Amino acid sequence: MAFEGYTSADEVYFGLNPLAFNQVVSNWAVTVPAGEVSIAVEKLGLEGVKRLVEKTPVDLGTARGNWQVSISEAVEGYDESKTDTTGSGVIAEGSMQVIQAVDSNPFLLIWITNNLPYIEALENGHSSQAPTGMLDNTVNELETMFT
């Protein structure tokens, strides 16, 4: 999902607050022994990419193919010609970004975005393949990993 323009922890997108979620993760990370932070953050990022992509409904694979991982800032734009019906390519590409970011600095903000014009409809249950969406379910699952 695109979270462009977020400057305050009070802002929300699809009922979620990405900066507040990041703050919860950051607060948790400072309680983890130094040698384990990178491992935990990497696992969280890898699981986030995998779960979001796998929960995304598939017709032609465009929605799955447009998940993008970036570091520190959300990416903009989308590519309707980019498809990935299995999600394996997007998961591999996103996983590489997560690993590189964590190796550089485990406290960097990892963005997982999808800017397709109809991604909000999919998140709101437009597809019978994901009647309860993808993002909200994934965030709830990830929160259980560190609470």
Side-chain angles (χ1 to χ4, degrees), residues 110-134:
I110 299 171
W111 291 88
I112 307 170
T113 58
N114 191 323
N115 298 312
L116 284 171
Y118 58 86
I119 200 68
E120 185 172 1
L122 293 177
E123 178 63 26
N124 290 330
H126 182 71
S127 171
S128 61
Q129 294 177 33
T132 60
M134 305 88 56

Side-chain angles (χ1 to χ4, degrees), residues 10-11 25 29 35 46 48 64 72 96 101-102 104 107 112-113 116 119 124 140:
D10 297 328
E11 296 183 70
V25 174
L46 294 174
R64 278 192 179 175
S72 299
M96 184 177 64
V102 172
S104 167
F107 294 99
I112 307 170
T113 58
L116 284 171
I119 200 68
N124 290 330
N140 289 335

Side-chain angles (χ1 to χ4, degrees), residues 59-71:
D59 181 16
L60 301 174
T62 308
R64 278 192 179 175
N66 271 271
W67 285 108
Q68 303 172 73
V69 175
S70 58
I71 310 307

Side-chain angles (χ1 to χ4, degrees), residues 17-28:
N17 186 321
L19 293 182
F21 178 77
N22 181 62
Q23 189 61 53
V24 170
V25 174
S26 295
N27 290 344
W28 165 81

Side-chain angles (χ1 to χ4, degrees), residues 69-75 97-98 100-102 105 108-111:
V69 175
S70 58
I71 310 307
S72 299
E73 293 183 17
V75 296
Q97 291 284 338
V98 168
Q100 288 175 349
V102 172
N105 178 351
L108 291 173
L109 183 59
I110 299 171
W111 291 88

Side-chain angles (χ1 to χ4, degrees), residues 28-40 107:
W28 165 81
V30 298
T31 69
V32 176
E36 297 176 23
V37 171
S38 292
I39 295 167
F107 294 99

